[in-house]
Amino acid sequence: MGFRLVLEAEDDLEVVGEAGDGLEAVQLTAQLRPDVVLMDVRMPGLNGIEATERVVASGSPTRVLILTTFDLDEYAFAALRAGASGFMLKDARPAELVSAIRAVATGDAVVSPRVTRRMLEMFSDALPTAGQHVPAPHPAHALLAQLTAREAEVLGAVAEGLSNNEIALRLYLSEATVKTHVGRILAKLGVRDRVQAVVLAYETGLVGR
């Protein structure tokens, strides 16, 4: 009810449905085809991660923004890996939530800076140390090899949680140029949005080396 009151106060947002559990969320998403679903992680029956997987697997254009009170690595990464376009904590300010919904609706992606930092720490710890056996290259490495040096640099900045404007300032580029680079990165990696590109960057070790 609190979220509904916040969202319906915005002229450009409309709440078209509410679900009591993950299964109902999947069913309503198929029926109502909303632009964005705010998905809780912990729900009776089908949890938010599994529900997100089903929504994405169905080919639905609906984008999922995960909301949770739990700032835990496994939830963050599992949600993003499942295809969520964003991950926000429930203690986010109303303005931040509304901004995140708008960003996800337009095809961008949102990840809480806190979650990004935790993911970076988690994957840094998991990387092999000197003398340790290095596993076979991740299949995605072939995709990363297609990136130019500048695109790899931009992807690394995206994985740090930087916005296009922040990346532009860091790399002394125009924001339009950064946006073009991001578009090319997504196309080369075959991913649907920035979040999935970030997941790939963490999985392959591009970030955290």
Side-chain angles (χ1 to χ4, degrees):
M1 186 180 294
F3 286 135
R4 176 183 277 274
L5 290 174
V6 168
L7 301 180
E8 290 191 333
E10 303 295 322
D11 294 337
D12 59 334
L13 300 180
E14 178 185 1
V15 178
V16 296
E18 293 181 54
D21 56 50
L23 185 57
E24 186 181 6
V26 174
Q27 294 170 340
L28 284 180
T29 298
Q31 294 170 14
L32 302 174
R33 299 179 67 81
D35 296 309
V36 178
V37 169
L38 295 184
M39 187 79 77
D40 200 353
V41 168
R42 292 195 172 185
M43 294 182 289
L46 196 69
N47 65 42
I49 308 304
E50 294 170 325
T52 297
E53 289 177 336
R54 293 193 187 186
V55 169
V56 173
S58 72
S60 169
T62 297
R63 293 179 177 271
V64 178
L65 179 59
I66 294 286
L67 283 174
T68 183
T69 54
F70 302 98
D71 185 13
L72 299 175
D73 301 328
E74 61 266 29
Y75 292 122
F77 193 60
L80 303 181
R81 207 172 198 175
S85 294
F87 186 101
M88 294 289 291
L89 301 177
K90 288 182 179 176
D91 62 2
R93 291 175 298 176
E96 292 175 330
L97 176 60
V98 169
S99 176
I101 291 171
R102 291 190 179 119
V104 169
T106 57
D108 209 338
V110 178
V111 181
S112 160
R114 248 191 306 182
V115 172
T116 300
R117 284 196 298 272
R118 277 182 169 249
M119 288 174 68
L120 180 56
E121 291 166 3
M122 179 176 68
F123 279 84
S124 293
D125 292 341
L127 293 174
T129 57
Q132 185 178 347
H133 172 68
V134 178
H138 189 286
H141 276 299
L143 296 176
L144 291 177
Q146 299 179 47
L147 302 182
T148 64
R150 177 62 87 183
E151 288 168 351
E153 194 173 15
V154 170
L155 176 57
V158 169
E160 289 179 43
L162 300 187
S163 66
N164 285 353
N165 182 56
E166 290 169 332
I167 296 172
L169 292 173
R170 174 186 286 189
L171 302 182
Y172 303 101
L173 300 170
S174 71
E175 193 168 350
T177 298
V178 172
K179 188 173 182 180
T180 297
H181 280 311
V182 171
R184 287 174 179 164
I185 290 167
L186 299 185
K188 288 182 178 181
L189 299 183
V191 294
R192 63 185 301 196
D193 56 35
R194 293 166 76 103
V195 164
Q196 300 310 307
V198 170
V199 170
L200 193 66
Y202 282 117
E203 285 186 321
T204 58
L206 175 67
V207 174
R209 289 178 191 170

